[in-house]
Amino acid sequence: MTLFEFLIALASVVIAIALTEIFAGWGRLLRTHIVPRIDWLHLGWSLVIVLYAIQYWVGIWPYREIEFTLIYQVWFLIFPTLFIVLVSYAITPDVDPDTRLDLRDYYMSRRAPVFIGLAAFVATAQLADVIILGSKLDWISFSFVIIALLPAFTQRISIHTSVMVFNLYFILANGFGFNPAGNPLIS
């Protein structure tokens, strides 16, 4: 087993934990008395987090040719996966079937850990590319971190929506092979 195979296995397990938390959370929500039934903002951001987790996992592939010689290189490859797990736990309510839950209230109450964690995920993913692959840190990379922080500090739905649309646009554009920024966004 190569070191890359070892690292991708570790990253896969950690990302699987994040995805499992979100998908299990969706399943628990389907069994509860939700008021309102579905909150589009909470659901949209949950989807963005799922897409980021998958994109990061796939984005690890360019590291396959790298010879990891120092432990800090491994840290920078694994740290983003840890942040995406924390974000997944923060956005997913832990409810039992008899709970009456307003998802908008829950989402707004958890916005600081969700978006500070998301900004940390984006920042560490970008730093991994800089430190391990030697990529250049540009204004687009920096702007993603700043934009990810905005919803942490406001309850304005227009800000949350705008940042979600911004992220969805870039994730989907990257996923369908059109990268408007011209460089990989997350690995």
Side-chain angles (χ1 to χ4, degrees), residues 29-66:
L29 287 173
L30 291 173
R31 292 186 210 131
T32 63
H33 306 284
I34 304 170
V35 183
R37 291 196 188 283
I38 297 292
D39 179 58
W40 62 270
L41 195 56
H42 178 265
L43 181 62
W45 273 109
S46 295
L47 179 62
V48 167
I49 292 164
V50 165
L51 293 174
Y52 265 134
I54 293 168
Q55 182 174 322
Y56 184 77
W57 181 75
V58 171
I60 293 173
W61 187 250
Y63 294 97
R64 72 190 176 284
E65 301 298 327
I66 300 297

Side-chain angles (χ1 to χ4, degrees), residues 15 18 49 52-53 80-89 118 121:
I15 289 172
I49 292 164
Y52 265 134
T81 64
L82 302 176
F83 283 114
I84 204 70
V85 167
L86 295 176
V87 170
S88 297
Y89 274 89
L118 187 61
F121 164 74

Side-chain angles (χ1 to χ4, degrees), residues 83 87 113-125 144-150:
F83 283 114
V87 170
V114 167
F115 293 105
I116 291 170
L118 187 61
F121 164 74
V122 171
T124 54
F144 267 84
V145 175
I146 299 303
I147 290 169
L149 281 171
L150 293 176

Side-chain angles (χ1 to χ4, degrees), residues 44-141:
W45 273 109
S46 295
L47 179 62
V48 167
I49 292 164
V50 165
L51 293 174
Y52 265 134
I54 293 168
Q55 182 174 322
Y56 184 77
W57 181 75
V58 171
I60 293 173
W61 187 250
Y63 294 97
R64 72 190 176 284
E65 301 298 327
I66 300 297
E67 183 178 333
F68 292 90
T69 57
L70 301 169
I71 191 68
Y72 79 87
Q73 294 171 310
V74 174
W75 294 339
F76 277 96
L77 192 61
I78 298 302
F79 282 165
T81 64
L82 302 176
F83 283 114
I84 204 70
V85 167
L86 295 176
V87 170
S88 297
Y89 274 89
I91 201 162
T92 306
D94 189 20
V95 296
D96 61 60
D98 296 323
T99 302
R100 295 193 76 73
L101 178 67
D102 185 322
L103 285 174
R104 177 63 57 90
D105 289 344
Y106 176 82
Y107 169 82
M108 285 299 174
S109 73
R110 305 304 304 152
R111 71 184 189 282
V114 167
F115 293 105
I116 291 170
L118 187 61
F121 164 74
V122 171
T124 54
Q126 294 295 341
L127 281 174
D129 287 349
V130 169
I131 290 168
I132 300 169
L133 295 178
S135 300
K136 300 238 187 249
L137 192 59
D138 58 14
W139 69 271
I140 293 173
S141 302

